[in-house]
Amino acid sequence: MGQPKYRQIASELRDQIVSGALREGDRLPTEPQLEERYDVSRNTVRDATALLINEGLVHRVPGRGGGMIVRRKAILTFHAHRAEMPAPPTAEADAWRTEVVAQGYEAAQEFSLMIRLLSSDIAERLHVEPDSVAVLRRCVRYVNGQPSSLQDTYYPMDLAEEIRELLSPKDIPQGTTRLLGERGHEQTAYYDEYLSRMPTPEETNLLGLPPGTTILLHIRTGYTEQRPVRVSFNVFAGDRNQIVTTHGDVRVIARFRPEEAPE
Amino acid sequence: MGQPKYRQIASELRDQIVSGALREGDRLPTEPQLEERYDVSRNTVRDATALLINEGLVHRVPGRGGGMIVRRKAILTFHAHRAEMPAPPTAEADAWRTEVVAQGYEAAQEFSLMIRLLSSDIAERLHVEPDSVAVLRRCVRYVNGQPSSLQDTYYPMDLAEEIRELLSPKDIPQGTTRLLGERGHEQTAYYDEYLSRMPTPEETNLLGLPPGTTILLHIRTGYTEQRPVRVSFNVFAGDRNQIVTTHGDVRVIARFRPEEAPE
DNA sequence: CAGTGGTCTAGACCACGCG
DNA sequence: GCGTGGTCTAGACCACTGG
């Protein structure tokens, strides 16, 4: 009796999924069927399937015609380098839209603006006093009508007072990075952090995440030659996104990855 | 009755953790205490705490003197750009060790070597036929005696036959990237992918991951001027690692982040 | 030994949504 | 309507480990 029952059941079902016997969109047996097949109580069945859910392999759909369904993984590629360095070829927001469309999906974005008291970790990145206020521009990004990622960008208050457009809750057509550049705050360096963690309840709501979905967090701090001028928190639903960057001679890569061809 | 009981209980406990009322290493009330306090059955208590565990906030320790404990998050920073571009200042493996030590931890690594049939996704990255074989060099990395991340690097078989050191299950002192460079296979471009997902059972074992721990996956494909010569899967335990890169003028960044000073 | 969490049972009633 | 999963109860026995 090395393994408990619920782990054995989970292993069998997992094997069927990773081996391809059960494909994306397929239904697992119903809970009563699994009780019967393995001769266990319903709670044991649920302990087993809870593992698969936390692994992000399946999700449960209540109601008649529902069931436990193998999750699809349509992964969107986001090029972190394209949007901004060295001279942004297009605005940042449009760069995202362009990528989504190029990959055959439908793109939509929702902007909102807030004034926030800064937590210490954000204040440190912006090199301002903790408990000072900053402008937060939020952009929730939808792919095929489903929320896919969001971007929270913080600007120091003094910068926003100099560049009043930052205080408007509207999309900035040319992109904020380019706008800042035009007003004498060109960003010449970026500090990028990549993290993986489970979502907060707020992120679960904003992105409509099913259980077992991770967060891929990309934090970019942008510097002019003088100081940091913004920090962006890119929050990606881990089951639907990947980030790609390249270093060195892109032409070599493009020979083997045509989609990376420089435009 | 908007929220089910177990979610309300989880919310109260979560608030105590994120607000700091319960700190890292603190114990939650025991299960019988929570049954009493909220007047619910034990399974409801466990449904509530299971949420916190999946969020990576707490873990359970069985046995007398155990309990449910708020997880610590000591995050190690890994600089993806330092190790390799453009001329690696130090060997890749040593770069990792240097970073760990600089951050005040103890570092250890375990190498192993395998010959593997390539799955299609790896074969594509290496631009070889699917089902061909390749050399897999695995390095499991320990911080303070605890497994923290692992790196799986695949080399095409023909390359390994030309450079026999790749077939030895030992650490290569100068680092494989430098070794390849010395033998006329200098890598001049990298294709980097960042992903977040839940661990596979194998990763859970190799890295000793508690439930609710995510994986931060960094896939680097290295190209010479002719072709891809290796692909590395860097598998990081999400609760203990972050990846950092910089772009542009590092000196500006170093003014605000002394630890980033170029050496 | 005593108290922690780990596993499991056998029920119950409810909310939801397709047919 | 009726079958799906969602929530909840009230028990049981076990494995582990600190005092």
Side-chain angles (χ1 to χ4, degrees):
Chain A
M1 202 74 95
Q3 284 278 82
K5 287 183 189 178
Y6 76 99
R7 289 189 182 276
Q8 289 178 14
I9 298 171
S11 291
E12 285 197 26
L13 296 172
R14 188 189 299 111
D15 288 346
Q16 292 178 35
I17 294 171
V18 301
S19 75
L22 286 169
R23 295 149 174 253
E24 300 184 5
D26 283 356
R27 276 180 180 68
L28 266 59
T30 67
E31 292 182 350
Q33 286 168 347
L34 291 170
E35 289 181 54
E36 168 88 8
R37 181 196 297 185
Y38 294 103
D39 189 31
V40 294
S41 73
R42 184 173 170 217
N43 277 351
T44 301
V45 167
R46 287 182 65 83
D47 283 347
T49 52
L51 282 183
L52 304 180
I53 286 171
N54 289 333
E55 290 167 15
L57 292 176
V58 305
H59 68 277
R60 294 185 180 133
V61 178
R64 171 112 185 208
M68 289 175 287
I69 298 178
V70 179
R71 280 176 66 171
R72 313 170 184 279
K73 33 188 90 175
I75 292 209
L76 185 75
T77 299
F78 179 76
H79 289 80
H81 63 302
R82 270 204 195 145
E84 318 197 26
M85 283 294 289
T90 56
E92 197 170 338
D94 280 357
W96 178 82
R97 176 188 299 277
T98 304
E99 287 213 70
V100 174
V101 173
Q103 291 170 53
Y105 305 104
E106 184 206 329
Q109 305 187 64
E110 258 175 30
F111 287 87
S112 56
L113 183 137
M114 291 165 267
I115 308 289
R116 282 279 181 93
L117 256 176
L118 290 187
S119 62
S120 61
D121 57 320
I122 300 179
E124 273 172 32
R125 289 189 179 85
L126 287 178
H127 202 69
V128 299
E129 293 300 313
D131 298 323
S132 57
V133 294
V135 178
L136 162 57
R137 296 178 65 89
R138 168 169 292 173
C139 176
V140 183
R141 294 168 166 169
Y142 299 82
V143 175
N144 291 343
Q146 189 184 33
S148 172
S149 64
L150 68 87
Q151 181 179 60
D152 276 355
T153 302
Y154 296 84
Y155 300 91
M157 206 60 198
D158 67 292
L159 193 70
E161 277 161 1
E162 178 188 334
I163 303 175
R164 307 293 295 190
E165 288 93 331
L166 289 178
L167 289 166
S168 150
K170 290 190 302 187
D171 189 1
I172 293 176
Q174 72 269 46
T176 51
T177 299
R178 178 172 293 183
L179 173 67
L180 260 60
E182 291 166 358
R183 304 294 175 82
H185 298 278
E186 193 194 349
Q187 292 169 57
T188 55
Y190 297 105
Y191 185 81
D192 283 354
E193 301 162 75
Y194 297 90
L195 296 153
S196 168
R197 57 167 171 74
M198 291 307 285
T200 65
E202 188 191 4
E203 290 163 347
T204 302
N205 288 335
L206 277 170
L207 297 177
L209 302 178
T213 308
T214 61
I215 291 291
L216 175 59
L217 183 61
H218 175 211
I219 308 173
R220 170 164 286 185
T221 310
Y223 293 81
T224 65
E225 285 182 10
Q226 277 72 46
R227 59 151 176 169
V229 288
R230 59 109 175 184
V231 55
S232 299
F233 290 74
N234 283 280
V235 182
F236 295 95
D239 61 340
R240 325 201 251 279
N241 293 279
Q242 69 172 343
I243 302 175
V244 165
T245 68
T246 57
H247 297 267
D249 185 352
V250 187
R251 291 169 304 172
V252 189
I253 297 174
R255 242 189 292 150
F256 298 92
R257 289 188 171 266
E259 75 277 12
E260 292 302 321
E263 285 129 47
Chain B
M1 202 76 93
Q3 283 279 82
K5 288 184 189 176
Y6 76 99
R7 288 189 183 276
Q8 288 178 14
I9 298 171
S11 291
E12 285 197 26
L13 296 172
R14 187 189 299 111
D15 288 346
Q16 292 178 36
I17 294 170
V18 300
S19 76
L22 287 169
R23 294 146 174 253
E24 300 183 7
D26 283 356
R27 277 180 179 67
L28 266 58
T30 67
E31 292 182 349
Q33 286 169 347
L34 291 171
E35 290 180 54
E36 168 88 6
R37 182 197 296 185
Y38 294 104
D39 190 32
V40 294
S41 73
R42 185 173 169 218
N43 278 350
T44 301
V45 167
R46 288 182 65 81
D47 284 347
T49 52
L51 282 183
L52 303 180
I53 287 171
N54 289 332
E55 289 167 15
L57 292 176
V58 305
H59 68 277
R60 294 185 179 135
V61 178
R64 172 112 184 214
M68 290 174 287
I69 298 178
V70 180
R71 280 175 67 168
R72 310 170 185 279
K73 34 187 92 175
I75 292 211
L76 184 75
T77 299
F78 179 77
H79 289 82
H81 63 303
R82 269 202 197 148
E84 317 197 29
M85 281 298 286
T90 55
E92 198 170 336
D94 280 356
W96 178 81
R97 176 187 300 276
T98 304
E99 287 213 68
V100 174
V101 172
Q103 290 170 53
Y105 304 104
E106 184 207 329
Q109 306 187 62
E110 257 176 32
F111 287 87
S112 55
L113 183 135
M114 290 166 268
I115 308 290
R116 282 281 181 93
L117 254 177
L118 290 186
S119 61
S120 62
D121 57 319
I122 301 179
E124 274 173 29
R125 290 190 178 86
L126 287 179
H127 202 70
V128 298
E129 294 300 312
D131 298 323
S132 57
V133 295
V135 177
L136 162 57
R137 294 178 65 88
R138 168 170 293 174
C139 175
V140 183
R141 294 168 164 169
Y142 299 82
V143 175
N144 290 343
Q146 188 185 34
S148 173
S149 64
L150 68 87
Q151 182 179 59
D152 276 357
T153 302
Y154 296 84
Y155 300 91
M157 207 59 200
D158 67 292
L159 194 69
E161 278 162 0
E162 178 187 335
I163 304 174
R164 308 292 295 189
E165 288 92 331
L166 290 179
L167 289 167
S168 150
K170 291 190 302 188
D171 189 4
I172 293 177
Q174 73 268 48
T176 51
T177 299
R178 179 172 293 180
L179 173 67
L180 261 60
E182 291 167 358
R183 304 293 174 83
H185 298 277
E186 194 194 348
Q187 293 169 57
T188 55
Y190 296 105
Y191 185 80
D192 283 354
E193 300 162 75
Y194 297 91
L195 295 154
S196 168
R197 57 166 171 73
M198 292 308 284
T200 64
E202 187 191 5
E203 288 162 349
T204 301
N205 288 335
L206 276 169
L207 296 176
L209 301 178
T213 308
T214 62
I215 291 291
L216 174 59
L217 184 60
H218 174 212
I219 308 173
R220 170 163 286 186
T221 310
Y223 293 81
T224 65
E225 286 182 10
Q226 277 73 47
R227 58 148 177 171
V229 287
R230 59 109 175 184
V231 54
S232 299
F233 290 74
N234 283 280
V235 182
F236 295 95
D239 61 339
R240 326 201 251 280
N241 292 280
Q242 69 172 342
I243 302 174
V244 165
T245 68
T246 57
H247 298 267
D249 185 353
V250 186
R251 292 168 306 172
V252 189
I253 297 175
R255 241 189 291 150
F256 298 93
R257 290 187 171 267
E259 76 277 13
E260 293 301 320
E263 287 131 46

